Amino acid sequence: MSGIYIHIPFCKQACHYCDFHFSTSMKKKEEMVLAIAKELKMRKPEFQNELVETIYFGGGTPSRLQIADLRLQMDTIYENYAVSENPEITLEANPDDLSEEYLIELSKIGINRLSIGIQSFFEDDLAMMNRAHNSAEAKKCLEEATKYFDNISLDLIYGIPGMSNEKWRQNIETALSFGIPHISSYALTVEPKTALNKLIQTGKIAKPSDESAQEHFAILVETLEANNFIHYELSNFGKENYFSRNNSAYWLGKKYLGIGPSAHSYDGVSRSWNVSNNSLYLKSIQEDKLPNETEVLSVADHYNEYIMTGLRTIWGVSLHRIETEFGSKYLDYLQKQAQKFISDDFLFVENDILKPTSKGKFLTDGIASDLFYLNLEV
């Protein structure tokens, strides 16, 4: 299984918390659409023996593109790559872009999964985050989207300063009222070069509370599991048969091709990433050059990535796989490092699989970093 990720680097406005690569200017949109299609053609040899089972339009905000722009990318993929009979084709979208006409046209060109950036159903939260939509648009778009799409995911953000537990419960309940089969939910994170960081530093917004975020996370898990969602990855909850095939492939170490400025790729041996600059990306593609850098991953890199992704998912970390793929040195180290977390009831081993306990889930990323193997030979 392999996937293609296409980064669309345009947004209507900058959300205060976002540190992804994007531009609010659409002046180079036509050039970018053509350049992305050209990069797809240029990189065809990298996937000549691969069957593409997922296509993911991320960003930025892919729903800023017109249907003709998206159709060009779809046609280019099908003309140059072997695509499975039943691929998962996801489009990230913002509520204010999803008119009924746009939704109908998306379904016609082959998009079969939507990932909608709701974030909150409350006006004050949306204003604080500088989202482009309002609460009414969030609800209206879900009413319309569920008429034409069965496979829908929505994003919610918790740990927002001033958000009570009751308000957070209302957000979750509102999402559930639309019958959505997948929810991705993330703690509000303060990244260094964002407007949110400046607002906190100047005292205009309170700093997010770790204690509040942990309480919200516990409410999220409890509520969604009670509604038959499976907590299959730290930030992702899906009903049976509605796990994100695209994201699951990342976590399980499958190959993927990243197209567009700032997009990352992985071929099983090395990782590459495109330049995070629209003008430099366009110039390079126009000169028939790939605008990327490549890093060959060491054994330790592969081990550390497996630890991180394994602990975040329901599949856990296989001790047998650690020994067979990385050797007894890594297994001994892992068991030694994990022991303190097992003793403190943050991790447990079952059927030779290392997983976080309910108590340890919220702390997964920090625990994983303590299990990383550093300074090993390549």
Side-chain angles (χ1 to χ4, degrees):
M1 174 179 175
S2 298
I4 293 177
Y5 170 85
I6 298 177
H7 187 84
I8 305 301
F10 300 112
C11 286
K12 184 179 292 184
Q13 63 192 50
C15 298
H16 285 161
Y17 56 85
C18 183
D19 70 341
F20 291 154
H21 172 68
F22 67 93
S23 170
T24 54
S25 170
M26 298 289 284
K27 289 181 180 178
K28 295 182 179 179
K29 192 266 287 184
E30 299 301 329
E31 288 179 71
M32 184 63 68
V33 167
L34 293 174
I36 287 173
K38 184 175 178 180
E39 187 190 356
L40 278 166
K41 295 175 186 176
M42 291 169 69
R43 298 185 67 180
K44 174 181 177 179
E46 296 178 43
F47 258 35
Q48 59 184 352
N49 298 317
E50 300 293 331
L51 181 66
V52 174
E53 294 195 318
T54 64
I55 300 168
Y56 193 101
F57 291 92
T61 311
S63 55
R64 294 290 287 150
L65 295 189
Q66 297 174 328
I67 293 297
D69 301 326
L70 294 167
R71 185 185 293 115
L72 173 63
Q73 311 310 331
M74 294 282 285
D75 289 347
T76 303
I77 291 171
Y78 274 88
E79 288 166 7
N80 292 277
Y81 296 82
V83 181
S84 69
E85 288 187 18
N86 182 34
E88 176 191 87
I89 306 178
T90 303
L91 181 93
E92 288 184 353
N94 277 350
D96 45 305
D97 293 325
L98 293 179
S99 66
E100 183 173 21
E101 180 184 2
Y102 193 73
L103 286 162
I104 292 170
E105 294 302 314
L106 286 176
S107 66
K108 286 181 180 178
I109 64 169
I111 304 296
N112 54 30
R113 183 175 183 270
L114 295 177
S115 177
I116 306 176
I118 300 292
Q119 314 310 356
S120 177
F121 290 99
F122 291 94
E123 297 292 358
D124 57 337
D125 296 338
L126 296 171
M128 185 279 288
M129 292 185 280
N130 200 40
R131 296 291 293 165
H133 68 279
N134 58 39
S135 178
E137 288 172 321
K139 295 170 183 175
K140 178 66 174 176
C141 90
L142 291 176
E143 289 175 6
E144 296 294 340
T146 50
K147 294 178 185 177
Y148 303 101
F149 290 85
D150 168 59
N151 197 352
I152 298 174
S153 176
L154 62 80
D155 289 353
L156 292 176
I157 290 180
Y158 60 88
I160 295 172
M163 177 182 278
S164 67
N165 289 349
E166 181 53 37
K167 188 178 179 183
W168 175 234
R169 284 192 180 93
Q170 289 179 41
N171 254 337
I172 301 169
E173 293 296 341
T174 301
L176 291 173
S177 71
F178 291 96
I180 303 299
H182 190 282
I183 292 176
S184 296
S185 192
Y186 309 89
L188 182 65
T189 304
V190 184
E191 301 294 347
K193 298 179 181 179
T194 59
L196 177 61
N197 188 47
K198 286 186 179 179
L199 290 168
I200 290 171
Q201 288 180 339
T202 55
K204 295 179 180 178
I205 294 177
K207 185 178 179 181
S209 159
D210 289 341
E211 293 78 11
S212 178
Q214 191 160 1
E215 289 179 13
H216 290 176
F217 179 76
I219 291 168
L220 176 73
V221 173
E222 179 184 7
T223 306
L224 293 185
E225 289 185 342
N227 283 273
N228 300 315
F229 282 77
I230 300 167
H231 189 194
Y232 71 104
E233 195 271 343
L234 184 62
S235 303
N236 287 271
F237 303 77
K239 293 204 168 174
E240 194 168 351
N241 299 319
Y242 284 97
F243 294 2
S244 167
R245 286 162 55 189
N246 175 81
N247 293 351
S248 295
Y250 291 162
W251 302 322
L252 294 171
K254 306 296 184 181
K255 297 179 182 180
Y256 57 90
L257 201 60
I259 304 294
S262 82
H264 285 234
S265 303
Y266 176 66
D267 64 5
V269 175
S270 62
R271 193 172 302 286
S272 63
W273 54 95
N274 284 350
V275 64
S276 297
N277 180 295
N278 287 2
S279 296
L280 292 178
Y281 172 83
L282 290 171
K283 183 175 185 292
S284 184
I285 294 295
Q286 288 161 1
E287 294 174 352
D288 299 320
K289 300 174 184 175
L290 290 177
N292 59 26
E293 295 180 50
T294 300
E295 172 192 23
V296 177
L297 300 179
S298 67
V299 174
D301 290 333
H302 283 287
Y303 165 88
N304 291 341
E305 289 196 1
Y306 177 51
I307 293 295
M308 176 61 79
T309 56
L311 286 186
R312 287 182 63 101
T313 67
I314 57 171
W315 301 290
V317 174
S318 166
L319 300 183
H320 175 71
R321 178 177 169 184
I322 293 292
E323 184 171 29
T324 55
E325 289 192 18
F326 302 102
S328 58
K329 186 191 300 184
Y330 285 85
L331 178 61
D332 292 345
Y333 177 81
L334 173 59
Q335 290 176 320
K336 179 182 177 183
Q337 292 296 106
Q339 189 54 54
K340 59 185 176 183
F341 296 108
I342 293 172
S343 299
D344 291 338
D345 193 33
F346 290 119
L347 296 176
F348 72 103
V349 177
E350 182 178 61
N351 298 324
D352 214 33
I353 303 293
L354 181 68
K355 295 181 179 181
T357 61
S358 296
K359 177 181 168 183
K361 279 184 178 179
F362 184 74
L363 305 171
T364 295
D365 288 348
I367 293 171
S369 66
D370 278 355
L371 305 183
F372 288 170
Y373 211 151
L374 306 175
N375 301 320
L376 269 188
E377 66 275 8
V378 175

